[in-house]
């Protein structure tokens, strides 16, 4: 039977009952699918996005399905915002078992014409943001002697992509950073893994012309663009207790694009 992009995956192999999972960029796209999936696996989800209004659809979807969720407005690249959210969540729930660094931006352009601003903004959100949340939540996980960190990179961070020098650098940075902290945090039962999506249908990729999408699809062995739910499945896998012996790994979820 042919599988449709975004077709609901049945069941949940991962049991996150009683756990708190913090997901950045949870207002839409991959972040929303991850938040919904982790809630379906039993986690209490703390969603972070730039505005609370943006988060409403995600929070409502989780609550409508009987799950538990709350939202925080924060800029992921602001150390003050990160501290405010993490302090508050820790004081309410004591532990944070799962952290998914998903928030990300693109500001594409050829390197020779790239403005400083486009470089700084993308590195700040994608790479510094990931560092700030890992540092703050990592401290909470250290105290709890348990944690699952999943950082979202990109196939652009593995292979590079013309027009995305800033983005590729930020996403390659996420990989090196994750491998390092995987080693630093391992002794406390904290795993750190990376999911590298290929071409996923979201607002981020919606801006691309149909011709480009068709060309990309043609290059994908599984012959379809990815859906946010495809990424959520892999994130849930790394978020669960069963993957306790896997850390510092990078898994491309890309329909075979990088094979
Ligand atoms: N869509 C793809 O094809 C694709 C491919 C590879 C990697 N990714 C990565 O997956 C992640 C999610 O991508 P998406 O396609 O769902 O993107 P999207 O643009 O649809 O959503 C991005 C999310 O990040 C949030 N965000 C952005 N900047 C923020 C900030 N400064 N503070 C707080 N929140 C912020 C947005 O509010 C939104 O919720 C990103 O890290 C992206 O780089 C996406």
């Amino acid at each position: 039977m042919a599988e449709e992009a975004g077709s609901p995956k049945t069941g949940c192999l991962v049991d996150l009952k009683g756990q708190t999972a913090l997901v950045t960029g949870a207002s839409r796209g991959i972040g929303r699918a991850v938040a919904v999936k982790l809630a379906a696996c039993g986690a209490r989800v703390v969603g972070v996005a730039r505005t609370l209004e943006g988060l409403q659809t995600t929070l409502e979807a989780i609550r409508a399905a009987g799950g538990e969720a709350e939202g925080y407005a924060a800029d992921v690249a602001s150390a003050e915002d990160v501290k405010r959210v993490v302090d508050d969540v820790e004081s309410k729930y004591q532990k944070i078992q799962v952290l998914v660094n998903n928030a990300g931006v693109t500001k594409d352009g050829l390197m020779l014409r790239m403005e400083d601003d486009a470089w700084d903004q993308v590195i700040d959100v994608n790479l510094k943001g990931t560092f700030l949340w890992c540092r703050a939540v990592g401290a909470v996980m250290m105290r709890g002697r348990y944690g699952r960190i999943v950082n979202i990179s990109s196939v652009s961070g593995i292979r590079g992509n013309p027009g995305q020098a800033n983005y590729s650098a930020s996403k390659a940075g996420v990989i090196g950073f994750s491998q390092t902290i995987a080693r630093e945090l391992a002794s406390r039962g904290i795993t750190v893994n990376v999911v590298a999506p290929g071409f996923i249908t979201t607002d981020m990729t919606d801006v691309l012309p149909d011709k480009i999408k068709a060309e990309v699809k043609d290059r994908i062995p599984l012959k379809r663009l990815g859906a946010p739910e495809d990424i959520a499945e892999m994130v849930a896998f790394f978020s669960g207790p069963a993957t306790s012996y896997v850390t510092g790994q990078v898994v491309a979820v890309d329909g075979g694009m990088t094979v």
Side-chain angles (χ1 to χ4, degrees), residues 53-200:
E53 298 76 63
L55 277 168
Q56 284 318 308
T57 313
T58 303
L59 301 181
E60 280 160 20
I62 291 173
R63 290 172 188 149
E68 201 184 330
E70 65 183 299
Y72 285 86
D75 176 356
V76 294
S78 154
E80 296 81 58
D81 282 10
V82 174
K83 184 172 172 4
R84 171 177 54 80
V85 174
V86 175
D87 283 354
D88 201 55
V89 174
E90 187 185 20
S91 72
K92 274 192 202 159
Y93 307 119
Q94 291 75 54
K95 292 184 179 178
I96 303 172
Q97 288 87 351
V98 178
L99 168 67
V100 183
N101 281 298
N102 163 80
V105 290
T106 50
K107 259 194 171 300
D108 295 353
L110 293 171
M111 190 273 289
L112 288 181
R113 285 191 229 129
M114 190 171 284
E115 306 276 355
D116 293 11
D117 236 26
W119 178 269
D120 291 341
Q121 217 180 306
V122 170
I123 298 289
D124 255 20
V125 174
N126 299 3
L127 184 54
K128 187 179 175 194
T130 299
F131 155 64
L132 292 173
W133 289 94
C134 286
R135 186 175 63 182
V137 177
V140 179
M141 289 175 169
M142 290 280 268
R143 288 191 278 281
R145 299 282 192 280
Y146 177 90
R148 295 282 178 268
I149 297 175
V150 185
N151 292 330
I152 305 297
S153 175
S154 166
V155 293
S156 296
I158 298 174
R159 289 275 172 98
N161 195 25
Q164 292 198 309
N166 50 358
Y167 183 76
S168 303
S170 73
K171 294 299 189 179
V174 165
I175 293 173
F177 169 74
S178 302
Q179 288 168 335
T180 294
I181 68 164
R183 289 169 180 266
E184 290 184 5
L185 303 177
S187 65
R188 301 296 175 97
I190 302 167
T191 65
V192 185
N193 291 292
V194 177
V195 173
F199 193 109
I200 310 301

Side-chain angles (χ1 to χ4, degrees), residues 13-16 146 148 236-246:
L13 296 172
V14 178
D15 185 2
L16 299 177
Y146 177 90
R148 295 282 178 268
F237 181 59
F238 282 136
S239 299
T243 42
S244 60
Y245 203 54
V246 183

